[in-house]
Every structure is written in structure tokens, then in C-alpha cells.
């Protein structure tokens, strides 16, 4: 979703609300610190006037003492301001990551199917990290600049209203006009850079995962050339952003010197006309020259904020995306007593996958579902899992529509095994304990024996504590699939959904697992999707899915 910079800023600022007290403290210390820094120089001007014989607000010794105190306070206040800002920034980054992960959980799996995982990783890592600039170096500096400029306009205007108006114009141009102009000049460069950065991360991740195929078919040079082209394009975009930032800095410095000269000239004219004394020339000029710190900080953010807002926009896209399926809470829990599909119609986009499908699944029975690839078998299982919502008809468990069953309750009643078992980069034990974190070693081993994997694990040097590598790449496809089955047995759900559970197994291991499933007959309802006729031998009833219909 495309949002204006102000809309993104408003949403990001709204997230600071829980930490408003720390923000107020940061602004207070920052304002006091900048005033100390500016009046350190101003007191030097008063000292010069006293040396020249003009009266000052304090004796010369008092001025030096006050200047020394302000120097110390400036250091302490600056540290305190930065500490508060960075506490706010990193606390909010942690909260943002938590909210993004929660949003991804809500969006999964329907809204995440087909999404570029590398781009999502970029959003979760570098895009959120980039927002640290906004929270630590934008919000409080903007408030400090506003308050500080108001105080300085009143101070300088105390010598003559014209000088106060000139100071107001200087702060307005440097702190407001320059950031707006530079931000508009940058256009969509920041957003393009963030998108291309995410695309490059996705390409690199894809290349690493496909390294064996790349080497086997000699596609390394082609892949490397494309990666180099993407990298060069990203470097050019980054160089353009930095050139713009350099030009903006140069323009800002020119504007600063122009206003400094304008203040000196205006004060000198007023002095010649007798409207102000020598102090009305020296003090306003020194005060203006030493007070641009807060507004210059805003001026330098013009181009940087485009990149920050682009990152914020991508983060907000995830936070505000509406899930296709929402979690359900607040209903009475249901005890499993059979399941079924009644007149179910479902499709992805304009393509209808299932048409008026009805499949009863009585408690304790094994139901087989066969059909060619793409006929809708796996889709039917996803509807029982409520990964998607049916468009017509009803999917029910224990006579209750799954749309009215608490999500946690539904997950507890169901177990799922697919052709591709995902294993985390952890030990075999911890990968299995996902299904039941408090499982005993005896339960763990019993589940693995049912899945015909215990003997293999026991023969490993580290046994159940053996690491499986990234995505389980130290194991074969059949070993990963048997671990997936062991997970499902350990979960001990009364409704077991198996999508090609023996596709990667040899005949011997398939027979062992089928005997284990046959031993579950009467204890749980099993839905078995498979192309193998041998697998269907344990089914009480077999349904065939063809062209979205069941026979």
C-alpha cells in the first residue's frame, strides 16, 4: 500500500505512545542541552562586551563560571538525551519485531503462500533496523528543534523585533523548507532502494538453497552474472541517494551562511540607525550562528527520511494486511467426534479447485483420498485445518463448523504430515518436541518407533541430540518424512491428516508405518492422501477426487 510520508510518520509516531514519558524526558534534556551549548557561546559574547566596557548580565568571573557549568551540563544532558532516545528506539524495535511476527502468524499460511521469503527476511531485519534512525534521531530532535527555535526567536527578538523575525525565517527555512524540498526531490528513490535490497536478499537466499543444482548443471556463471547485475544496480541507487544527500548538505550550509550574513547586516543597519546598541549587533549574530544545531539535524534528514519512510511503509504493509483467516477465540472447547465436508466449493482466485465436495469422516475410521496431481486433495486437507476458508458449504468437526471452533482447540485436535517435512536448525529431540514440549523420553521413543525412525536415531553418535542442519539437510528425504510422522504420533491428535506420508519411503519402511497406522484404527480418525495403491490398503473407505469432484 502506498502511503504519503506524513501518513507513515503519523503511524510510526503513534507507536511511541507507550513510551511517552521517556520521550518527554528526552525532549526536556535535549532542549536544555542545546540551550546550554548555544548560551555557552552567547556568554562568551557578553564577556567580549564587558571587556569593551559594556555592562553584562553577570560579572566577568560569573560569566566564566556559568560558561563552565553549561559546558558540563551540556555533556551530561546530551548523554541523557541520547540514552533516552536509544532506549525508546530499541524498545520500539523489539515491540515492532514482536508485532510483525504476530502479524505474520495471523497471515499464515494463506497470505504467505508464494510470498518471497528473502524479502520478508529483509523487512524483519534491515527494514525494522532502519527505523532506529527515525525513533532515535527524528522524533525528539524535531520537537527539540521546534521548542528551541521558539525560545531563540524570543531571545533574539528581545533586541529588536526585526531580528526575531529574521531568526524565525532562518529556522523555518533550514528546519522545514529544506527537508521538504530534499524529500520531494528524492521522490521514490528510497522505496526503490528498499525493494531492490529485499529482492537481492531473496535472490541470494534462493541461490544458496539451489547451489547443488547450479553446480550440477553448470549454471554458476549465469547465476553469478545476474547477482552482479543486481548488486551493481543497487550500488548505483545507493550512490544516487548519497549524492543527493551530499548536495543537500552543501545547500544547507550555504543557506546557513546566508542567514548569518543577513543577521549581521540587518543588526548593523539597525545599529547605524540607533535602533540597537553594539550588544544588539554582537549577541543576536552570535546567538543565531551558534543555534542552528537542532534545525540542521532536521535538514540532514530530508533524503534519509525517504529511505526510512520506505522501510516504515513496508513494515506497516505487513502490520495492516488483513488475514484471509482470523484466529478464533472465546467459544467452548470441542471434543473430537468425527469430521466431514458437506457441499464444499473452493477455489484460488478465479480457478475453482473443489466443486460441491462431500466427504464424511466417521470417528475411528481411516479415510483414503486418491486422485491425480492438482485435483484438490491437498486443498481439501487445508480446509479441514482452516488454513483457508470455504467459499460455499461447510467443513465440520464433531458437528461444529470449523469457523466456530477456537483455533487453539482445532490445532490440538489435528495432526498434519506432508510430503515436505520442515526441520529447524536444531537437534532431532528439539525438532520432535515442537509437537509436545513436555514429552518424556519414553513418549519420544515410542513415537519414533511407530514412525520406524528410532533405530536410525539410536545409531547416531549423539542420538536424539544430533543436529539436523539447516532445513534438515544432513538427513535424507525419507528420514525427514519419518521424523514428520514421529511428530504427528507424538502430538497424539485424534484427527490425523496425512498428505503423501510415505512418498519418500521404500517399501519396507512404508509397510512398518502402515502397520503402525493400522494399529491406530478405532483410536483416531485418519485421512490418508496418496497415489500409492498399497497405501490405500488400510483405508476403510476410499474417495477419488477428479476435476474438483468426489466419487
Amino acid at each position: 500500500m502506498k502511503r504519503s510520508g506524513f501518513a507513515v510518520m503519523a503511524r510510526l509516531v503513534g507507536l511511541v505512545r507507550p513510551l511517552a514519558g521517556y520521550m518527554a524526558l528526552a525532549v526536556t534534556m535535549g532542549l536544555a542541552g542545546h540551550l546550554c551549548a548555544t548560551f555557552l557561546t552567547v556568554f562568551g559574547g557578553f564577556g567580549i562586551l564587558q571587556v569593551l566596557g559594556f555592562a553584562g548580565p553577570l560579572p566577568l568571573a560569573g560569566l566564566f563560571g556559568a560558561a563552565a557549568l553549561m559546558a558540563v551540563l551540556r555533556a551530561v544532558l546530551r548523554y541523557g538525551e541520547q540514552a533516552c532516545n536509544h532506549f525508546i528506539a530499541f524498545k520500539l524495535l523489539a515491540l515492532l519485531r514482536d508485532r510483525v511476527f504476530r502479524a505474520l502468524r495471523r497471515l499464515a499460511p494463506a497470505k504467505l503462500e508464494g510470498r518471497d521469503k528473502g524479502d520478508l527476511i529483509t523487512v524483519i531485519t534491515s527494514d525494522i533496523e532502519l527505523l532506529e534512525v527515525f525513533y532515535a534521531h527524528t522524533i525528539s530532535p524535531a520537537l527539540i528543534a521546534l521548542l528551541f527555535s521558539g525560545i531563540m526567536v524570543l531571545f533574539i527578538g528581545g533586541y529588536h523585533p526585526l531580528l526575531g523575525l529574521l531568526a524565525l525565517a532562518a529556522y523555518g527555512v533550514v528546519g522545514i523548507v529544506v527537508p521538504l524540498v530534499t524529500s520531494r526531490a528524492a521522490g521514490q528513490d528510497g522505496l526503490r532502494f528498499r525493494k531492490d535490497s529485499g529482492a537481492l536478499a531473496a535472490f541470494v537466499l534462493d541461490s544458496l538453497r539451489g547451489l547443488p543444482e547450479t553446480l550440477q548443471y553448470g549454471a554458476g556463471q549465469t547465476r553469478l552474472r545476474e547477482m552482479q547485475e543486481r548488486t551493481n544496480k543497487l550500488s548505483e541507487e545507493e550512490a544516487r541517494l548519497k549524492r543527493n544527500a551530499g548536495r543537500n548538505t552543501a545547500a544547507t550550509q550555504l543557506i546557513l551562511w546566508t542567514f548569518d550574513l543577513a543577521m549581521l547586516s540587518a543588526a548593523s543597519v539597525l545599529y547605524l540607525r540607533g535602533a540597537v546598541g553594539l550588544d544588539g549587533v554582537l549577541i543576536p549574530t552570535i546567538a543565531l550562528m551558534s543555534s542552528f544545531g537542532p534545525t540542521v539535524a532536521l535538514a540532514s534528514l530530508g533524503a534519509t527520511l525517504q529511505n526510512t519512510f520506505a522501510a516504515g511503509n513496508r513494515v506497516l504493509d505487513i502490520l495492516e494486511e488483513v488475514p484471509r483467516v482470523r484466529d478464533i477465540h472465546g467459544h467452548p472447547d470441542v471434543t473430537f467426534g468425527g469430521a466431514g465436508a458437506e457441499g464444499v466449493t473452493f477455489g484460488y482466485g478465479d480457478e475453482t479447485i473443489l466443486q460441491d465436495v462431500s466427504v464424511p469422516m466417521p470417528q475411528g475410521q481411516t479415510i483414503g483420498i486418491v486422485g491425480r496431481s492438482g485435483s484438490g486433495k491437498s486443498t481439501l486437507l487445508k480446509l479441514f485445518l482452516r488454513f483457508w476458508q470455504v467459499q460455499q458449504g461447510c467443513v465440520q468437526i464433531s458437528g461444529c463448523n470449523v469457523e466456530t471452533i477456537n483455533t487453539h482447540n482445532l490445532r490440538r485436535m489435528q495432526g498434519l504430515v506432508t510430503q515436505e517435512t520442515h526441520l529447524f536448525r536444531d537437534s532431532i529431540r528439539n525438532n520432535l518436541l515442537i509437537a509436545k514440549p513436555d514429552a518424556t523420553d519414553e513418549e519420544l521413543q515410542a513415537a519414533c518407533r511407530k514412525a520406524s525412525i528410532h533405530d536410525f536415531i539410536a545409531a547416531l553418535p549423539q542420538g536424539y541430540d544430533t543436529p539436523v542442519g539447516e532445513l534438515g539437510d544432513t538427513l535424507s528425504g525419507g528420514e525427514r518424512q519419518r521424523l514428520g510422522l514421529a511428530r504427528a504420533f507424538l502430538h497424539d491428535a485424534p484427527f490425523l491428516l496425512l498428505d503423501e506420508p510415505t512418498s519418500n519411503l521404500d517399501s519396507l519402511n512404508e509397510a512398518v508405518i502402515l502397520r503402525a497406522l493400522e494399529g491406530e484404527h478405532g483410536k483416531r480418525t485418519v485421512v490418508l492422501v496418496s497415489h500409492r495403491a498399497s497405501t490405500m490398503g488400510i483405508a476403510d473407505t476410499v474417495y477419488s477426487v477428479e476435476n474438483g469432484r468426489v466419487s
Side-chain angles (χ1 to χ4, degrees):
M1 182 189 301
K2 185 178 179 182
R3 303 174 184 82
S4 67
F6 288 110
V8 175
M9 182 184 293
R11 284 300 316 281
L12 294 177
V13 169
L15 297 174
V16 185
R17 204 169 300 155
L19 300 171
Y22 287 100
M23 181 61 70
L25 182 60
V27 170
T28 301
M29 289 192 292
L31 176 61
H34 280 292
L35 288 173
C36 285
T38 297
F39 278 90
L40 182 64
T41 310
V42 169
F43 278 12
F46 283 127
I48 293 172
L49 288 172
Q50 286 206 28
V51 170
L52 295 176
F54 291 85
L58 292 171
L60 197 57
L63 288 173
F64 279 111
L69 178 62
M70 287 185 177
V72 174
L73 284 175
R74 168 59 174 161
V76 173
L77 291 167
R78 177 65 172 171
Y79 177 84
E81 176 204 356
Q82 290 299 306
C84 282
N85 279 335
H86 283 87
F87 172 82
I88 293 167
F90 293 121
K91 186 70 173 178
L92 283 171
L93 293 187
L95 292 173
L96 267 179
R97 286 196 177 95
D98 180 67
R99 290 187 63 180
V100 167
F101 279 118
R102 288 175 182 272
L104 291 174
R105 169 63 187 84
R106 290 194 305 271
L107 296 174
K111 278 290 186 78
L112 297 186
E113 282 192 7
R115 285 285 291 267
D116 200 323
K117 302 304 185 290
D119 188 54
L120 284 176
I121 290 171
T122 301
V123 173
I124 294 167
T125 54
S126 61
D127 281 353
I128 291 180
E129 194 68 31
L130 192 59
L131 295 181
E132 186 267 340
V133 175
F134 178 75
Y135 288 119
H137 306 291
T138 303
I139 300 179
S140 67
L143 294 173
I144 290 168
L146 179 64
L147 297 172
F148 178 82
S149 297
I151 293 172
M152 293 308 298
V153 166
L154 293 175
F155 176 74
I156 294 173
Y159 287 90
H160 194 281
L162 179 61
L163 301 181
L165 290 174
L166 184 57
L168 179 62
Y171 298 138
V173 170
V174 175
I176 299 175
V177 176
V178 170
L180 287 176
V181 171
T182 54
S183 178
R184 289 181 180 177
Q188 297 296 312
D189 289 350
L191 183 58
R192 281 194 297 270
F193 179 78
R194 299 312 310 165
K195 285 185 176 179
D196 288 346
S197 179
L200 178 60
F203 185 83
V204 171
L205 181 62
D206 196 34
S207 298
L208 290 174
R209 286 179 173 173
L211 198 56
E213 288 76 11
T214 300
L215 294 173
Q216 178 183 351
Y217 296 108
Q221 289 301 318
T222 302
R223 201 77 184 174
L224 183 62
R225 184 167 56 253
E226 186 174 353
M227 189 180 297
Q228 190 65 50
E229 289 172 357
R230 289 171 180 261
T231 303
N232 290 339
K233 181 183 177 184
L234 195 65
S235 297
E236 290 171 3
E237 290 177 355
E238 186 175 18
R240 182 164 58 251
L241 288 172
K242 289 185 176 180
R243 281 196 300 271
N244 288 338
R247 283 195 291 266
N248 296 337
T249 300
T252 301
Q253 292 301 318
L254 178 61
I255 291 170
L256 293 182
W257 283 106
T258 300
F259 275 109
D260 288 339
L261 290 174
M263 178 63 74
L264 179 60
S265 300
S268 299
V269 170
L270 291 173
Y271 174 74
L272 293 174
R273 293 182 178 178
V276 296
L278 183 58
D279 59 335
V281 177
L282 184 61
I283 300 303
T285 303
I286 290 176
L288 184 68
M289 293 178 70
S290 62
S291 64
F292 278 118
T295 49
V296 166
L298 296 184
S300 63
L301 289 173
T304 306
L305 279 181
Q306 279 299 315
N307 215 3
T308 304
F309 288 159
N313 207 39
R314 283 156 55 83
V315 172
L316 291 174
D317 279 345
I318 291 178
L319 294 180
E320 295 178 359
E321 190 165 352
V322 179
R324 292 185 187 275
V325 179
R326 294 184 182 275
D327 285 356
I328 297 174
H329 308 280
H331 296 275
D333 280 351
V334 172
T335 301
F336 185 79
E342 301 172 1
V344 169
T345 296
F346 177 80
Y348 301 106
D350 296 329
E351 182 183 5
T352 299
I353 304 298
L354 298 172
Q355 181 70 45
D356 194 26
V357 169
S358 295
V359 179
M361 298 175 180
Q363 186 173 7
Q365 291 196 17
T366 299
I367 308 299
I369 300 177
V370 297
R372 60 182 176 79
S373 296
S375 60
K377 306 185 302 298
S378 298
T379 297
L380 182 60
L381 297 191
K382 291 177 182 178
L383 295 178
F384 276 100
L385 291 159
R386 201 171 168 270
F387 285 177
W388 297 83
Q389 287 180 314
V390 299
Q391 292 157 355
Q392 292 180 24
C394 171
V395 172
Q396 58 85 17
I397 291 178
S398 303
C400 300
N401 191 322
V402 293
E403 303 296 331
T404 64
I405 299 176
N406 295 331
T407 302
H408 177 75
N409 183 201
L410 185 67
R411 298 284 177 263
R412 184 63 194 87
M413 289 190 290
Q414 297 172 331
L416 172 68
V417 179
T418 65
Q419 301 178 60
E420 299 296 330
T421 298
H422 180 85
L423 296 177
F424 297 91
R425 187 166 188 165
D426 206 333
S427 66
I428 291 175
R429 181 188 305 278
N430 289 338
N431 268 285
L432 292 171
L433 288 176
I434 291 172
K436 188 178 181 182
D438 59 348
T440 64
D441 287 348
E442 290 74 18
E443 290 174 317
L444 209 64
Q445 292 173 17
C448 288
R449 284 193 175 94
K450 283 185 181 181
S452 187
I453 191 71
H454 171 72
D455 291 341
F456 166 77
I457 298 172
L460 295 172
Q462 295 175 258
Y464 280 84
D465 294 317
T466 302
V468 300
E470 186 175 11
L471 302 178
D473 58 7
T474 63
L475 305 176
S476 69
E479 290 159 355
R480 290 196 296 270
Q481 195 163 30
R482 280 182 284 164
L483 284 175
L485 281 162
R487 268 183 187 162
F489 287 133
L490 186 63
H491 186 54
D492 198 27
F495 188 28
L496 189 56
L497 303 160
L498 307 176
D499 189 359
E500 299 286 359
T502 60
S503 59
N504 292 319
L505 304 182
D506 55 36
S507 299
L508 180 60
N509 280 308
E510 180 190 26
V512 172
I513 288 168
L514 290 179
R515 279 200 301 273
L517 289 173
E518 201 167 15
E520 300 296 303
H521 192 274
K523 301 175 184 177
R524 69 182 87 205
T525 300
V526 178
V527 181
L528 189 57
V529 171
S530 180
H531 288 94
R532 292 184 177 182
S534 58
T535 305
M536 290 294 115
I538 66 168
D540 295 300
T541 308
V542 178
Y543 294 93
S544 176
V545 180
E546 293 294 335
N547 300 318
R549 295 184 179 274
V550 169
S551 58

